[in-house]
Amino acid sequence: MLPLLLSLLAFNLRPAFAATAEQWRSRSIYQIITDRFALEPGAVVNECNLADQTWCGGTWKAITQNLDYIQNAGFTAIWISPVNQNYQGPKTAYGDAYHGYWNADISKLNEHFGTADDLMALSAEVHRRNMYLMVDVVVNNVMSTSLKPDWSTYYFTDPADYHPYCPVDFSNITSEQDCWLGDTTVPLPDLNTESASVVSKYGAWIQDLVQTYSIDGLRIDAAKHVKPNFWPGFAKSAGVFCMGEVFDPLVANVAPFQGASLDSVLNYPLYYALVAAFGLPGPQNMSALTTVLTQGSAYQDTTVLGNFLENQDIPRWHNLSVDPQSHYNAMTFSFMSDGIPIVYYGQEQGFSGNADPFNREALWPSNYTNTTSYQLMTTLNQLRNYMINTTDWATQKTNVLTSDQHGIAFQKGSVITVLTNIGSPAQNLTNTAFQSPWSQGTVTIDVIACRQFVVASSGYLEVEYTKGGVPVVLAEAGSLQKSGLCSTVFTALHDSSTGPAAVAQSSALRSLRASLGMDSLITLLLMTSLGFGSGWLM
Ligand SMILES: *[C@@H]1O[C@H](CO)[C@@H](O)[C@H](O)[C@H]1NC(C)=O
Ligand SMILES: *[C@@H]1O[C@H](CO)[C@@H](O)[C@H](O)[C@H]1NC(C)=O
Ligand SMILES: *[C@@H]1O[C@H](CO)[C@@H](O)[C@H](O)[C@H]1NC(C)=O
Ligand SMILES: *[C@@H]1O[C@H](CO)[C@@H](O)[C@H](O)[C@H]1NC(C)=O
Ligand SMILES: *[C@@H]1O[C@H](CO)[C@@H](O)[C@H](O)[C@H]1NC(C)=O
Ligand SMILES: *[C@@H]1O[C@H](CO)[C@@H](O)[C@H](O)[C@H]1NC(C)=O
Ligand SMILES: *[C@@H]1O[C@H](CO)[C@@H](O)[C@H](O)[C@H]1NC(C)=O
């Protein structure tokens, strides 16, 4: 009996979820800075002065208590900021370690955010909701306030565990990998990840962290700053999906980190392209976006890349682009194209802080309001989750149908997305026309505005923006019937007194559409002539 019992116990020690890339592909992620997401009941409500760069009081327990806000918007995973012990000393010129990226002794948890039990409870509650937990880990470096740190206070105590100090030369890859990030005020001592003892100690550490807290995936900070051949062994020890941060606009520099090294990378090239294409004001450079899409073949698998518009290191979308439609269109791209959509907490509240530390606003002053942006991401998640549940949508590849300076139409699986960068003002010029793969008579629904249209004989569709540039996401009505989306349209369809082209709107939908600025502003004209090219109609 005893050997059997032992093997059962050993089996049970495997993390409950320990998700793979295959499993993460179908998820959508809400990114949290633990210190800034939520306060526990009874905590002192503070406005969180960002310039102070200190703790504002968020905890793991408070995340656990506020998961409804995330799950109700259709997210199926959370990514939380690093959980390990950080620098504890007096406030530095760059503030305190509220963000979690200033590692000290990583065998311990960061007591500012709660206890081991609190973190386990968060993990358990996330799993009870069938969601995944991704934890941010910092491997490349620790933090110090001196170029000659007291190594005894770190997890890695031997000076030989670190590369010797040198400032990073960002034009030299070896220097980026071996030298110290940060500066001489707050240097970030660089681990010697070629050392066999560092490799083995890191392997043991990550295996223990993942198993103890049943972590389903890792986001790996500064992955670009470690030699790529370190990652396969680390990822194997972790035993879960790994998404690396390779902060670089070029596909050629980012793509090599996916594959043998890591399952996935954050899609920085797509981020820069979305800003170039949709930012207002901006170059409105749609070809920057199509170029990045064309380069997708350099990646091992575009369908597990992490797509984002905001994070803790870059300005909020609304600091770059104040027009709400630019945000809605770019966000729709990040959900409806290849990859795992990631929303950075506060994006749904229209936060507009600039770079660090102003992009780390506390969420509580927003009152967790059900905003237009929150509703749009809810709809996009609902459609995406439904398509993934019922079809092979997640592994289908994005196919651009047409594009020009002001718009793009693309297909993924059985969904066609039509986006524009003209922003909120009405424009007569920008009509988008393209040949859809749908045959005559197909009833389609734009799930954002809940309008239904029938495809004409040529298969051509045209979108006009006579009241402003809204995103349009089309799917065949038949495929959406059980999705719970646009239910009023289906009610109308079943009412024999209204024809298939009728559009029914509940007052709730009408108000959502009005707040999106789209009340009756999209017209999908049905092209009955073959005389149109497949480009844009001007
Ligand atoms: C690149 O950086 C490494 C590490 O600092 C250094 O040894 C090497 O000389 C540098 N190469 C060039 C071409 O500057
Ligand atoms: C637009 O993007 C393309 C592709 O990245 C680039 O070659 C071109 O220079 C950009 N144009 C402008 C006006 O920025
Ligand atoms: C951008 O961020 C800075 C710093 O937070 C802020 O002062 C400025 O108002 C922001 N700009 C916009 C357009 O919100
Ligand atoms: C949040 O609620 C408080 C108290 O009711 C109110 O003063 C504040 O304006 C609200 N903030 C937002 C963004 O709705
Ligand atoms: C947000 O508001 C919309 C429109 O009123 C509603 O359908 C949706 O259920 C709300 N979401 C939440 C989480 O309250
Ligand atoms: C997808 O399937 C899961 C598991 O059956 C279910 O819980 C969830 O509600 C479905 N989601 C959608 C949007 O259909
Ligand atoms: C669009 O064109 C129509 C007809 O030419 C004109 O009446 C209308 O004022 C124009 N609208 C805008 C916003 O330019």
Side-chain angles (χ1 to χ4, degrees), residues 431 453-454 456 460-464 523-528:
N431 296 0
F453 302 91
V454 183
Y460 279 96
L461 294 171
E462 185 187 38
V463 180
E464 288 189 342
T523 335
L524 240 62
L525 300 178
L526 306 175
M527 300 288 114
T528 50

Side-chain angles (χ1 to χ4, degrees), residues 227-474:
K227 289 199 173 60
N229 66 3
F230 169 82
W231 292 121
F234 181 84
K236 190 157 182 274
S237 300
V240 293
F241 179 68
C242 292
M243 180 186 279
E245 178 204 24
V246 183
F247 199 147
D248 196 296
L250 298 179
V251 172
N253 294 342
V254 174
F257 282 85
Q258 188 193 32
S261 298
L262 297 167
D263 296 307
S264 170
V265 284
L266 286 162
N267 201 342
Y268 265 99
L270 178 65
Y271 162 72
Y272 287 107
L274 289 172
V275 172
F278 292 105
L280 280 174
Q284 301 206 300
N285 190 354
M286 201 57 82
S287 65
L289 181 56
T290 51
T291 299
V292 159
L293 294 178
T294 305
Q295 293 169 347
S297 54
Y299 291 104
Q300 190 204 41
D301 183 356
T302 51
T303 65
V304 294
L305 298 176
N307 296 349
F308 62 92
L309 303 184
E310 298 185 353
N311 66 38
Q312 77 286 1
D313 290 328
I314 53 180
R316 295 279 190 178
W317 184 269
H318 283 302
N319 204 272
L320 301 172
S321 178
V322 289
D323 189 300
Q325 292 299 349
S326 80
H327 182 219
Y328 302 150
N329 277 273
M331 180 164 68
T332 301
F333 190 95
S334 73
F335 275 77
M336 288 297 126
S337 61
D338 294 357
I340 303 168
I342 302 171
V343 166
Y344 179 52
Y345 85 98
Q347 190 178 322
E348 73 284 6
Q349 297 295 338
F351 285 175
S352 62
N354 203 339
D356 174 11
F358 299 105
N359 53 4
R360 296 152 180 207
E361 301 93 325
L363 190 54
W364 45 90
S366 75
N367 303 331
Y368 306 90
T369 303
N370 183 354
T371 61
T372 302
S373 189
Y374 181 94
Q375 289 167 43
L376 177 60
M377 54 186 79
T378 306
T379 300
L380 293 172
N381 269 326
Q382 198 179 345
L383 175 66
R384 188 175 177 277
N385 293 341
Y386 179 74
M387 285 296 160
I388 286 168
N389 269 4
T390 55
T391 71
D392 62 354
W393 195 83
T395 52
Q396 292 284 329
K397 297 288 174 72
T398 297
N399 172 34
V400 175
L401 300 172
T402 187
S403 73
D404 81 351
Q405 193 196 349
H406 290 298
I408 184 167
F410 62 93
Q411 178 179 9
K412 181 175 167 74
S414 54
V415 177
I416 291 179
T417 302
V418 188
L419 302 174
T420 181
N421 58 17
I422 64 172
S424 298
Q427 289 205 23
N428 269 357
L429 284 179
T430 315
N431 296 0
T432 302
F434 60 96
Q435 183 159 29
S436 80
W438 291 315
S439 55
Q440 177 182 12
T442 307
V443 181
T444 73
I445 292 181
D446 167 19
V447 300
I448 298 177
C450 289
R451 289 172 67 92
Q452 107 180 327
F453 302 91
V454 183
V455 177
S457 57
S458 65
Y460 279 96
L461 294 171
E462 185 187 38
V463 180
E464 288 189 342
Y465 299 111
T466 49
K467 296 219 174 138
V470 300
V472 173
V473 179
L474 299 165

